[in-house]
mmCIF file of all heavy atoms in Angstrom:
data_model
loop_
_atom_site.group_PDB
_atom_site.id
_atom_site.type_symbol
_atom_site.label_atom_id
_atom_site.label_comp_id
_atom_site.label_asym_id
_atom_site.label_seq_id
_atom_site.Cartn_x
_atom_site.Cartn_y
_atom_site.Cartn_z
ATOM 1 N N HIS A 291 2.154 25.482 5.462
ATOM 2 C CA HIS A 291 1.963 26.833 4.949
ATOM 3 C C HIS A 291 0.950 26.885 3.805
ATOM 4 O O HIS A 291 0.542 27.975 3.381
ATOM 5 C CB HIS A 291 3.310 27.435 4.540
ATOM 6 C CG HIS A 291 4.154 27.800 5.723
ATOM 7 N ND1 HIS A 291 4.833 26.856 6.461
ATOM 8 C CD2 HIS A 291 4.398 28.996 6.308
ATOM 9 C CE1 HIS A 291 5.474 27.449 7.448
ATOM 10 N NE2 HIS A 291 5.222 28.748 7.391
ATOM 11 N N ALA A 292 0.530 25.707 3.340
ATOM 12 C CA ALA A 292 -0.591 25.666 2.398
ATOM 13 C C ALA A 292 -1.923 25.665 3.140
ATOM 14 O O ALA A 292 -2.993 25.589 2.520
ATOM 15 C CB ALA A 292 -0.482 24.435 1.504
ATOM 16 N N GLY A 293 -1.852 25.732 4.464
ATOM 17 C CA GLY A 293 -3.064 25.860 5.267
ATOM 18 C C GLY A 293 -3.578 24.577 5.875
ATOM 19 O O GLY A 293 -4.697 24.544 6.390
ATOM 20 N N LEU A 294 -2.762 23.516 5.844
ATOM 21 C CA LEU A 294 -3.192 22.227 6.393
ATOM 22 C C LEU A 294 -2.445 21.992 7.710
ATOM 23 O O LEU A 294 -1.254 21.713 7.723
ATOM 24 C CB LEU A 294 -2.899 21.105 5.407
ATOM 25 C CG LEU A 294 -3.539 21.276 4.022
ATOM 26 C CD1 LEU A 294 -3.163 20.115 3.112
ATOM 27 C CD2 LEU A 294 -5.040 21.402 4.136
ATOM 28 N N SER A 295 -3.161 22.080 8.790
ATOM 29 C CA SER A 295 -2.536 21.989 10.108
ATOM 30 C C SER A 295 -2.551 20.552 10.617
ATOM 31 O O SER A 295 -3.179 19.659 10.036
ATOM 32 C CB SER A 295 -3.269 22.892 11.093
ATOM 33 O OG SER A 295 -4.636 22.514 11.177
ATOM 34 N N ARG A 296 -1.846 20.332 11.694
ATOM 35 C CA ARG A 296 -1.845 19.016 12.343
ATOM 36 C C ARG A 296 -3.273 18.608 12.689
ATOM 37 O O ARG A 296 -4.064 19.427 13.149
ATOM 38 C CB ARG A 296 -0.996 19.064 13.613
ATOM 39 C CG ARG A 296 0.456 19.423 13.371
ATOM 40 C CD ARG A 296 1.203 19.610 14.672
ATOM 41 N NE ARG A 296 2.543 20.135 14.441
ATOM 42 C CZ ARG A 296 3.413 20.404 15.407
ATOM 43 N NH1 ARG A 296 3.073 20.218 16.670
ATOM 44 N NH2 ARG A 296 4.617 20.876 15.097
ATOM 45 N N GLY A 297 -3.572 17.335 12.438
ATOM 46 C CA GLY A 297 -4.915 16.841 12.714
ATOM 47 C C GLY A 297 -5.913 17.084 11.594
ATOM 48 O O GLY A 297 -7.077 16.679 11.705
ATOM 49 N N TYR A 298 -5.483 17.710 10.499
ATOM 50 C CA TYR A 298 -6.395 17.994 9.379
ATOM 51 C C TYR A 298 -7.010 16.701 8.857
ATOM 52 O O TYR A 298 -6.334 15.686 8.676
ATOM 53 C CB TYR A 298 -5.644 18.701 8.258
ATOM 54 C CG TYR A 298 -6.474 18.904 7.008
ATOM 55 C CD1 TYR A 298 -7.387 19.947 6.916
ATOM 56 C CD2 TYR A 298 -6.345 18.037 5.915
ATOM 57 C CE1 TYR A 298 -8.155 20.126 5.775
ATOM 58 C CE2 TYR A 298 -7.112 18.213 4.775
ATOM 59 C CZ TYR A 298 -8.013 19.252 4.713
ATOM 60 O OH TYR A 298 -8.773 19.423 3.583
ATOM 61 N N SER A 299 -8.306 16.741 8.591
ATOM 62 C CA SER A 299 -9.036 15.565 8.125
ATOM 63 C C SER A 299 -10.111 15.988 7.145
ATOM 64 O O SER A 299 -10.581 17.138 7.168
ATOM 65 C CB SER A 299 -9.667 14.836 9.313
ATOM 66 O OG SER A 299 -10.550 13.812 8.880
ATOM 67 N N LEU A 300 -10.499 15.051 6.287
ATOM 68 C CA LEU A 300 -11.629 15.279 5.385
ATOM 69 C C LEU A 300 -12.935 14.800 6.010
ATOM 70 O O LEU A 300 -13.983 14.826 5.367
ATOM 71 C CB LEU A 300 -11.392 14.555 4.062
ATOM 72 C CG LEU A 300 -10.188 15.010 3.239
ATOM 73 C CD1 LEU A 300 -10.043 14.128 1.988
ATOM 74 C CD2 LEU A 300 -10.305 16.478 2.863
ATOM 75 N N GLY A 301 -12.849 14.341 7.243
ATOM 76 C CA GLY A 301 -14.033 13.846 7.926
ATOM 77 C C GLY A 301 -14.019 12.348 8.167
ATOM 78 O O GLY A 301 -14.692 11.848 9.060
ATOM 79 N N ALA A 302 -13.253 11.611 7.355
ATOM 80 C CA ALA A 302 -13.113 10.163 7.542
ATOM 81 C C ALA A 302 -12.184 9.896 8.727
ATOM 82 O O ALA A 302 -11.478 10.801 9.181
ATOM 83 C CB ALA A 302 -12.570 9.525 6.272
ATOM 84 N N PRO A 303 -12.147 8.652 9.223
ATOM 85 C CA PRO A 303 -11.291 8.345 10.374
ATOM 86 C C PRO A 303 -9.805 8.205 10.011
ATOM 87 O O PRO A 303 -9.128 7.279 10.458
ATOM 88 C CB PRO A 303 -11.876 7.033 10.899
ATOM 89 C CG PRO A 303 -12.512 6.397 9.732
ATOM 90 C CD PRO A 303 -13.021 7.520 8.868
ATOM 91 N N VAL A 304 -9.315 9.096 9.192
ATOM 92 C CA VAL A 304 -7.877 9.248 8.955
ATOM 93 C C VAL A 304 -7.597 10.749 9.004
ATOM 94 O O VAL A 304 -8.488 11.555 8.752
ATOM 95 C CB VAL A 304 -7.412 8.665 7.595
ATOM 96 C CG1 VAL A 304 -7.717 7.181 7.489
ATOM 97 C CG2 VAL A 304 -8.048 9.420 6.436
ATOM 98 N N SER A 305 -6.363 11.096 9.347
ATOM 99 C CA SER A 305 -6.040 12.522 9.426
ATOM 100 C C SER A 305 -4.535 12.697 9.358
ATOM 101 O O SER A 305 -3.763 11.733 9.500
ATOM 102 C CB SER A 305 -6.568 13.135 10.730
ATOM 103 O OG SER A 305 -5.747 12.765 11.827
ATOM 104 N N LEU A 306 -4.104 13.941 9.154
ATOM 105 C CA LEU A 306 -2.711 14.244 9.412
ATOM 106 C C LEU A 306 -2.465 14.014 10.898
ATOM 107 O O LEU A 306 -3.358 14.210 11.729
ATOM 108 C CB LEU A 306 -2.397 15.702 9.060
ATOM 109 C CG LEU A 306 -2.520 16.106 7.585
ATOM 110 C CD1 LEU A 306 -2.083 17.559 7.400
ATOM 111 C CD2 LEU A 306 -1.703 15.195 6.687
ATOM 112 N N SER A 307 -1.275 13.597 11.232
ATOM 113 C CA SER A 307 -0.927 13.389 12.634
ATOM 114 C C SER A 307 -1.172 14.669 13.432
ATOM 115 O O SER A 307 -0.992 15.780 12.920
ATOM 116 C CB SER A 307 0.539 12.982 12.737
ATOM 117 O OG SER A 307 0.995 13.042 14.072
ATOM 118 N N THR A 308 -1.566 14.507 14.681
ATOM 119 C CA THR A 308 -1.717 15.675 15.545
ATOM 120 C C THR A 308 -0.373 16.187 16.040
ATOM 121 O O THR A 308 -0.307 17.231 16.699
ATOM 122 C CB THR A 308 -2.605 15.359 16.764
ATOM 123 O OG1 THR A 308 -1.942 14.402 17.608
ATOM 124 C CG2 THR A 308 -3.952 14.809 16.328
ATOM 125 N N LYS A 309 0.705 15.447 15.705
ATOM 126 C CA LYS A 309 2.040 15.833 16.151
ATOM 127 C C LYS A 309 2.946 16.284 15.012
ATOM 128 O O LYS A 309 3.935 16.979 15.247
ATOM 129 C CB LYS A 309 2.714 14.664 16.879
ATOM 130 C CG LYS A 309 1.969 14.162 18.108
ATOM 131 C CD LYS A 309 2.737 13.022 18.768
ATOM 132 C CE LYS A 309 2.024 12.504 20.016
ATOM 133 N NZ LYS A 309 0.810 11.737 19.672
ATOM 134 N N HIS A 310 2.632 15.875 13.772
ATOM 135 C CA HIS A 310 3.539 16.166 12.659
ATOM 136 C C HIS A 310 2.757 16.073 11.356
ATOM 137 O O HIS A 310 2.152 15.048 11.061
ATOM 138 C CB HIS A 310 4.693 15.156 12.652
ATOM 139 C CG HIS A 310 5.869 15.578 11.822
ATOM 140 N ND1 HIS A 310 5.906 15.439 10.465
ATOM 141 C CD2 HIS A 310 7.046 16.136 12.175
ATOM 142 C CE1 HIS A 310 7.064 15.890 10.008
ATOM 143 N NE2 HIS A 310 7.776 16.320 11.031
ATOM 144 N N THR A 311 2.799 17.142 10.548
ATOM 145 C CA THR A 311 1.945 17.184 9.355
ATOM 146 C C THR A 311 2.403 16.250 8.243
ATOM 147 O O THR A 311 1.671 16.045 7.276
ATOM 148 C CB THR A 311 1.894 18.614 8.786
ATOM 149 O OG1 THR A 311 3.227 19.091 8.587
ATOM 150 C CG2 THR A 311 1.150 19.538 9.708
ATOM 151 N N LEU A 312 3.580 15.674 8.364
ATOM 152 C CA LEU A 312 4.081 14.833 7.278
ATOM 153 C C LEU A 312 3.588 13.391 7.379
ATOM 154 O O LEU A 312 3.793 12.599 6.467
ATOM 155 C CB LEU A 312 5.613 14.867 7.265
ATOM 156 C CG LEU A 312 6.314 14.541 5.948
ATOM 157 C CD1 LEU A 312 5.719 15.293 4.775
ATOM 158 C CD2 LEU A 312 7.810 14.815 6.063
ATOM 159 N N ALA A 313 2.942 13.040 8.478
ATOM 160 C CA ALA A 313 2.422 11.685 8.653
ATOM 161 C C ALA A 313 0.917 11.659 8.454
ATOM 162 O O ALA A 313 0.196 12.487 9.018
ATOM 163 C CB ALA A 313 2.784 11.144 10.032
ATOM 164 N N LEU A 314 0.442 10.714 7.642
ATOM 165 C CA LEU A 314 -0.988 10.454 7.501
ATOM 166 C C LEU A 314 -1.322 9.272 8.388
ATOM 167 O O LEU A 314 -0.657 8.233 8.310
ATOM 168 C CB LEU A 314 -1.347 10.155 6.040
ATOM 169 C CG LEU A 314 -1.600 11.363 5.126
ATOM 170 C CD1 LEU A 314 -0.346 12.214 4.979
ATOM 171 C CD2 LEU A 314 -2.092 10.910 3.765
ATOM 172 N N THR A 315 -2.348 9.409 9.213
ATOM 173 C CA THR A 315 -2.587 8.421 10.260
ATOM 174 C C THR A 315 -3.994 7.834 10.203
ATOM 175 O O THR A 315 -4.945 8.486 9.771
ATOM 176 C CB THR A 315 -2.385 9.055 11.654
ATOM 177 O OG1 THR A 315 -3.383 10.062 11.872
ATOM 178 C CG2 THR A 315 -0.998 9.693 11.761
ATOM 179 N N ASN A 316 -4.079 6.601 10.656
ATOM 180 C CA ASN A 316 -5.346 5.888 10.783
ATOM 181 C C ASN A 316 -5.819 6.049 12.220
ATOM 182 O O ASN A 316 -5.171 5.571 13.151
ATOM 183 C CB ASN A 316 -5.127 4.413 10.428
ATOM 184 C CG ASN A 316 -6.362 3.560 10.622
ATOM 185 O OD1 ASN A 316 -7.459 4.060 10.876
ATOM 186 N ND2 ASN A 316 -6.191 2.242 10.514
ATOM 187 N N ARG A 317 -6.945 6.720 12.400
ATOM 188 C CA ARG A 317 -7.425 6.979 13.753
ATOM 189 C C ARG A 317 -8.208 5.801 14.323
ATOM 190 O O ARG A 317 -8.714 5.866 15.450
ATOM 191 C CB ARG A 317 -8.301 8.236 13.767
ATOM 192 C CG ARG A 317 -7.742 9.434 13.043
ATOM 193 C CD ARG A 317 -6.289 9.735 13.373
ATOM 194 N NE ARG A 317 -6.082 10.141 14.760
ATOM 195 C CZ ARG A 317 -4.911 10.532 15.262
ATOM 196 N NH1 ARG A 317 -3.838 10.543 14.500
ATOM 197 N NH2 ARG A 317 -4.806 10.884 16.530
ATOM 198 N N GLY A 318 -8.306 4.716 13.543
ATOM 199 C CA GLY A 318 -9.079 3.552 13.953
ATOM 200 C C GLY A 318 -10.327 3.455 13.111
ATOM 201 O O GLY A 318 -11.142 4.378 13.096
ATOM 202 N N GLY A 319 -10.451 2.363 12.362
ATOM 203 C CA GLY A 319 -11.622 2.200 11.508
ATOM 204 C C GLY A 319 -11.498 2.852 10.150
ATOM 205 O O GLY A 319 -12.462 2.878 9.385
ATOM 206 N N GLY A 320 -10.321 3.386 9.831
ATOM 207 C CA GLY A 320 -10.120 3.979 8.521
ATOM 208 C C GLY A 320 -9.928 2.933 7.445
ATOM 209 O O GLY A 320 -9.764 1.747 7.722
ATOM 210 N N THR A 321 -9.953 3.380 6.198
ATOM 211 C CA THR A 321 -9.706 2.500 5.059
ATOM 212 C C THR A 321 -8.576 3.093 4.223
ATOM 213 O O THR A 321 -8.235 4.272 4.348
ATOM 214 C CB THR A 321 -10.949 2.352 4.173
ATOM 215 O OG1 THR A 321 -11.231 3.624 3.560
ATOM 216 C CG2 THR A 321 -12.148 1.879 4.974
ATOM 217 N N THR A 322 -8.017 2.269 3.357
ATOM 218 C CA THR A 322 -6.993 2.765 2.448
ATOM 219 C C THR A 322 -7.568 3.821 1.522
ATOM 220 O O THR A 322 -6.900 4.819 1.199
ATOM 221 C CB THR A 322 -6.394 1.604 1.648
ATOM 222 O OG1 THR A 322 -5.819 0.654 2.559
ATOM 223 C CG2 THR A 322 -5.315 2.091 0.692
ATOM 224 N N ALA A 323 -8.803 3.645 1.086
ATOM 225 C CA ALA A 323 -9.451 4.649 0.236
ATOM 226 C C ALA A 323 -9.534 5.995 0.960
ATOM 227 O O ALA A 323 -9.307 7.052 0.359
ATOM 228 C CB ALA A 323 -10.840 4.173 -0.172
ATOM 229 N N ASP A 324 -9.845 5.967 2.258
ATOM 230 C CA ASP A 324 -9.878 7.198 3.052
ATOM 231 C C ASP A 324 -8.499 7.854 3.077
ATOM 232 O O ASP A 324 -8.363 9.076 2.911
ATOM 233 C CB ASP A 324 -10.294 6.906 4.495
ATOM 234 C CG ASP A 324 -11.724 6.404 4.641
ATOM 235 O OD1 ASP A 324 -12.557 6.735 3.774
ATOM 236 O OD2 ASP A 324 -11.993 5.689 5.626
#
Side-chain angles (χ1 to χ4, degrees):
H291 287 77
L294 303 179
S295 59
R296 299 173 188 180
Y298 174 80
S299 171
L300 297 177
V304 300
S305 76
L306 295 184
S307 168
T308 66
K309 301 181 179 72
H310 197 280
T311 53
L312 204 48
L314 276 63
T315 65
N316 176 9
R317 313 313 294 184
T321 66
T322 301
D324 294 333

